[in-house]
Amino acid sequence: MVKVTLYTLHFSPPCRAVELTAKALGIELDQKVVNLLAGEHLKPDFLKLNPQHTVPVLDDNGTILSESHAIMIYLVSKYGKDDSLYPKDLVQQAKVNAALHFESGVLFARMRFLFESILFGGSGELPVEKTEYIKKAYQLLEDTLVDDYVAGKALTIADFSCVSSFASVIGVVPLDKTKHPKCSAWLERLKQLPYYEEANGSGADGLAQAVLATAEKNSSKTQSPLSMTKPVLYTLHLSPPCRAVHMTAKALGVDLEHRVVNLLAGEHLKPEFIKINPQHTIPVLDDNGIIISESHAIMIYLVSKYGKDDSLYPGDLVIQAKVNAALHFESGVLFARTRFLFETIFFQGCKEIPDDKAELIQKAYQLLEDTLVDDYLAGDSLTIADFSCIATVASVMGVIPMDESLYPKIYGWVELLKELPYYEEANGASATEHAQLVLEVLKNNASA
């Protein structure tokens, strides 16, 4: 019997999906448990295996693979006696791939969105919007099940992937069998597999019970109004995402207690910070025990809770969609490309600005120019989308200059934002300092 090593945690749905696949293939796994709560995934020896510090990780005689879906495809392709679990037929394979992405992008993502708010965010109840989001995922799965299995008439790895998340989340957000009879029948069908309970059932139940127990524990913690303090922001002023939050707070008149996290000293990797944010990124907001990470999420939360009105994040669905689109443009284009460039300089010793990365930044400028059909990014009034984008633009334009004649709308937009009474304090000075630091490191690299 084939034996490979799997770095795993049985509570983890992606890990259980791999365990189901291995059982179906007759592969004996040498399972090495990685204790995430103890930070074992952040230790140097594990980071060498997987720099993204996630489980599962497969070590097949020196071949290292991470990410559950990739591991499952690999195992079937290498060790399967046939291709039934991951068909070579392109149409069938496409159906399996679609179901795998449905699991990662919908089932698992929505489950994680809920569970993390309880396990790490201190929530003592199940937020209605999150549970409704999960119930919509149930309906999508119901609609997908036109045959006995999620990708057709035969069992595939898509079923293993989907059931690993599904079996966990229904223990917290119950499934209405009358509304979702296909989902219920599909689950019962999978439970008949001789290896199901060992590879998935017990772990799914254990995770659900842990979430419910934590929610109950959180709800029992009562906080006196006298103990309420101003929100704490774990931050670093050079960071564009942190500055975006600073501007939002200033616009709202929210007084934040700033606690600087020295990334270069590794303070974001210390156990006490990992407990606050397992992804060890900044900014992180602690609003009297409510923990929220990721700048865009924090900005939306601040406006929703502390805003006197919804102007910075409008309730109107069309305008809100425009704001959301601009926020994702910032994270997926502006900030991603800026980070792509800056990290080569800070951490890879780049001695000059690579042409391809500079070109990507210029293309991002053009996309931003095309987006600015009004005074502001999402229309004719200021929103958090402007705070998010200006935080990054103000940093990168000090390193990759933009031609005002080519981007007149951006220049007009920047000048408009500079008129805000809190702009220089919350963003301008730090953005300039950030750009100067990048150029100084670049100069030092070139002279080394």
Side-chain angles (χ1 to χ4, degrees), residues 282-294:
I282 52 172
V284 175
L285 182 76
D286 181 350
D287 187 8
N288 291 284
I290 302 298
I291 307 296
I292 302 174
S293 59
E294 205 283 324

Side-chain angles (χ1 to χ4, degrees), residues 295-405:
S295 63
H296 309 88
I298 294 172
M299 289 188 286
I300 293 171
Y301 171 83
L302 288 175
V303 173
S304 301
K305 182 171 182 178
Y306 295 107
K308 295 177 181 178
D309 55 50
D310 68 348
S311 60
L312 289 175
Y313 188 66
D316 180 275
L317 292 180
V318 175
I319 302 175
Q320 187 180 105
K322 292 180 180 180
V323 174
N324 287 336
L327 291 176
H328 283 281
F329 170 72
E330 190 278 334
S331 62
V333 178
L334 286 175
F335 184 71
R337 296 185 184 187
T338 298
R339 183 175 182 175
F340 190 43
L341 169 63
F342 286 5
E343 285 187 348
T344 63
I345 296 171
F346 280 119
F347 305 115
Q348 298 176 24
C350 185
K351 297 183 178 181
E352 58 183 19
I353 296 174
D355 291 339
D356 59 335
K357 293 182 175 63
E359 184 178 354
L360 280 175
I361 297 293
Q362 292 291 347
K363 288 180 178 178
Y365 290 162
Q366 187 59 58
L367 290 171
L368 182 60
E369 180 76 10
D370 297 340
T371 300
L372 283 161
V373 295
D374 292 299
D375 286 342
Y376 299 96
L377 280 171
D380 57 5
S381 59
L382 181 72
T383 68
I384 57 173
D386 298 286
F387 296 151
S388 183
C389 289
I390 191 61
T392 297
V393 168
S395 292
V396 73
M397 66 186 296
V399 179
I400 306 292
M402 65 173 70
D403 186 333
E404 185 173 359
S405 65

Side-chain angles (χ1 to χ4, degrees), residues 44-212:
D45 51 347
F46 187 79
L47 290 175
K48 288 180 181 178
L49 291 173
N50 179 17
Q52 291 189 348
H53 54 76
T54 55
V55 289
V57 173
L58 185 80
D59 181 351
D60 184 12
N61 292 301
T63 298
I64 308 298
L65 297 172
S66 59
E67 206 284 322
S68 63
H69 308 88
I71 293 172
M72 289 188 287
I73 293 172
Y74 170 84
L75 289 175
V76 174
S77 301
K78 182 172 181 180
Y79 295 110
K81 294 178 181 178
D82 54 49
D83 69 346
S84 61
L85 289 175
Y86 188 67
K88 289 187 172 65
D89 178 88
L90 292 182
V91 175
Q92 287 301 115
Q93 188 180 104
K95 291 180 180 179
V96 174
N97 287 336
L100 291 176
H101 283 280
F102 169 73
E103 189 277 334
S104 62
V106 178
L107 284 177
F108 181 72
R110 297 185 186 189
M111 180 200 72
R112 184 175 183 176
F113 188 45
L114 171 64
F115 284 12
E116 287 190 347
S117 68
I118 296 169
L119 294 174
F120 305 112
S123 177
E125 58 184 21
L126 304 181
V128 174
E129 71 277 9
K130 293 180 181 178
T131 58
E132 287 302 313
Y133 209 37
I134 286 172
K135 290 178 182 178
K136 288 179 181 178
Y138 293 165
Q139 188 58 53
L140 289 172
L141 180 60
E142 182 76 11
D143 296 340
T144 299
L145 284 162
V146 295
D147 291 302
D148 286 346
Y149 299 95
V150 293
K153 298 181 183 302
L155 181 72
T156 68
I157 58 173
D159 297 286
F160 296 152
S161 183
C162 288
V163 81
S164 68
S165 290
F166 182 77
S168 298
V169 75
I170 64 172
V172 178
V173 181
L175 179 75
D176 187 336
K177 295 181 180 180
T178 61
K179 291 182 179 180
H180 308 104
K182 294 179 183 177
C183 290
S184 180
W186 167 73
L187 178 60
E188 291 304 315
R189 196 172 294 118
L190 291 178
K191 284 183 176 180
Q192 299 307 309
L193 295 171
Y195 46 81
Y196 175 85
E197 185 60 25
E198 177 187 355
N200 188 64
S202 60
D205 291 342
L207 176 59
Q209 290 168 6
V211 171
L212 292 174

